[in-house]
């Protein structure tokens, strides 16, 4: 049976990914910061195991990886934050930048995602599988006209880290993706977003299935279109 680990799976895109993989018969390892309130995740039917994990806690990431010994075909570092205190708006223009808030965004979107890939690399190596980060079109220099300093820079740095990772793990037969999920109707994407979480997850799952080891990460959107760096 194929297996996947998904971080931040209690709501939004992560929850839909868990539902789609579970519905397809995969063994799903789904993580959430607070398992007690992860009622939607716990209601997902299928072969699913839930784990408590805050990706800002690198010791906890390592402990979870040490606890799990089975191979993983796919690891999806999905957990992320916008950096907006209320989940809306775009904070911080020059002269008004919140460096502590920016550091928090980096901690989760960059270090949390990379540390997840690093800790579970041995599991993915056993399966000659795939390491995936959920990035954003806002990481792209082509989109440098919108977004926020913390969010865009965290995802741009993530893309660079995933590129370096791709070079390192290609000889071990591992593929690396840094994927744009679309503008998705979630707490982060907001109600005006045109893509449903289900369509995003369905597309991401198909894209992930097609990823091959390469000299750089695949920066691709949920519809399979290669994204400009
Ligand atoms: N929605 C969009 O339009 C869009 C576009 C481009 C990229 N993305 C990316 O897609 C990914 C998922 O976004 P989404 O739209 O599903 O967002 P969301 O609905 O806000 O969900 C974010 C998820 O990340 C988790 N998370 C946040 N901080 C965490 C931490 N420190 N440790 C563990 N989990 C943590 C949240 O858990 P809690 O419930 O505990 O907070 C939640 O499960 C993110 O990486 C985001 O940047 C989204």
């Amino acid at each position: 049976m194929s297996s996947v680990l998904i971080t931040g799976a209690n709501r939004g895109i992560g929850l839909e990914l868990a539902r789609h993989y579970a519905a397809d018969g995969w063994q799903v390892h789904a993580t959430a910061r607070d398992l007690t309130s992860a009622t939607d995740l716990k209601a997902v039917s299928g072969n699913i195991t839930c784990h408590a994990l805050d990706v800002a806690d690198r010791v906890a990431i390592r402990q979870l990886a040490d606890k799990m010994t089975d191979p993983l075909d796919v690891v999806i570092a999905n957990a992320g934050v916008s950096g907006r205190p209320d989940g809306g708006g775009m904070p911080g223009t020059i002269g008004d930048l919140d460096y502590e808030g920016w550091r928090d965004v980096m901690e989760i979107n960059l270090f949390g995602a990379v540390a997840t890939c690093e800790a579970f690399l041995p599991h993915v190596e056993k399966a000659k599988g795939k390491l995936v980060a959920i990035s954003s079109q806002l990481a792209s220099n082509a989109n440098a006209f919108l977004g926020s300093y913390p969010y865009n820079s965290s995802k741009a740095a993530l893309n660079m880290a995933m590129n370096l990772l791709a070079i390192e793990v290609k000889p071990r037969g591992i593929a690396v993706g840094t994927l744009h999920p679309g503008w998705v109707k979630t707490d982060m994407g907001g109600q005006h977003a045109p893509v449903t979480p289900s369509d995003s997850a369905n597309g991401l799952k198909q894209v992930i299935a097609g990823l091959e080891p390469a000299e750089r990460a695949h920066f691709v959107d949920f519809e399979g279109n290669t994204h400009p760096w």
Side-chain angles (χ1 to χ4, degrees):
M1 182 190 297
S2 300
S3 57
V4 60
L5 178 124
I6 305 160
T7 64
N10 54 301
R11 59 189 169 99
I13 297 165
L15 175 62
E16 276 311 315
L17 284 166
R19 284 187 178 130
H20 279 255
Y21 278 103
D24 200 20
W26 286 51
Q27 161 74 57
V28 177
H29 292 277
T31 82
R33 266 200 286 210
D34 177 12
L35 278 186
T36 52
S37 64
T39 43
D40 291 340
L41 178 60
K42 286 191 280 193
V44 174
S45 54
N47 198 341
I48 181 159
T49 308
C50 300
H51 309 269
L53 182 66
D54 183 332
V55 301
D57 183 345
R58 284 189 287 284
V59 173
I61 296 174
R62 180 66 62 185
Q63 284 172 342
L64 179 60
D66 289 346
K67 206 173 76 179
M68 291 171 53
T69 50
D70 288 343
L72 286 167
D73 295 276
V74 176
V75 165
I76 307 177
N78 164 76
V81 290
S82 66
R84 302 169 309 214
D86 60 350
M90 280 291 178
T93 49
I94 205 73
D96 183 33
L97 291 173
D98 167 12
Y99 289 94
E100 287 312 311
W102 193 341
R103 196 191 306 275
D104 292 343
V105 173
M106 287 293 191
E107 197 64 61
I108 296 162
N109 292 2
L110 174 61
F111 304 143
V114 176
T116 299
C117 292
E118 185 179 31
F120 288 96
L121 174 57
H123 310 66
V124 172
E125 189 165 8
K126 283 184 201 162
K128 298 234 175 301
K130 292 155 192 191
L131 291 167
V132 173
I134 302 301
S135 180
S136 169
Q137 63 180 349
L138 297 179
S140 172
N141 281 318
N143 284 330
F145 55 88
L146 77 163
S148 74
Y149 286 75
Y151 187 77
N152 294 30
S153 63
S154 71
K155 295 292 189 178
L158 173 63
N159 277 4
M160 176 57 81
M162 296 307 280
N163 268 329
L164 296 175
L165 180 60
I167 296 165
E168 278 208 73
V169 302
K170 180 181 177 242
R172 307 188 212 176
I174 297 168
V176 175
T178 185
L179 307 183
H180 170 54
W183 179 21
V184 188
K185 200 174 292 198
T186 62
D187 293 337
M188 186 185 292
Q191 282 313 302
H192 299 298
V195 181
T196 66
S198 181
D199 284 348
S200 176
N202 186 45
L204 289 169
K205 185 168 171 292
Q206 287 179 44
V207 167
I208 292 167
L211 295 178
E212 296 287 347
E215 285 295 341
R216 73 178 15 215
H218 301 274
F219 188 22
V220 182
D221 73 13
F222 76 112
E223 292 177 310
N225 304 303
T226 297
H227 212 285
W229 296 100

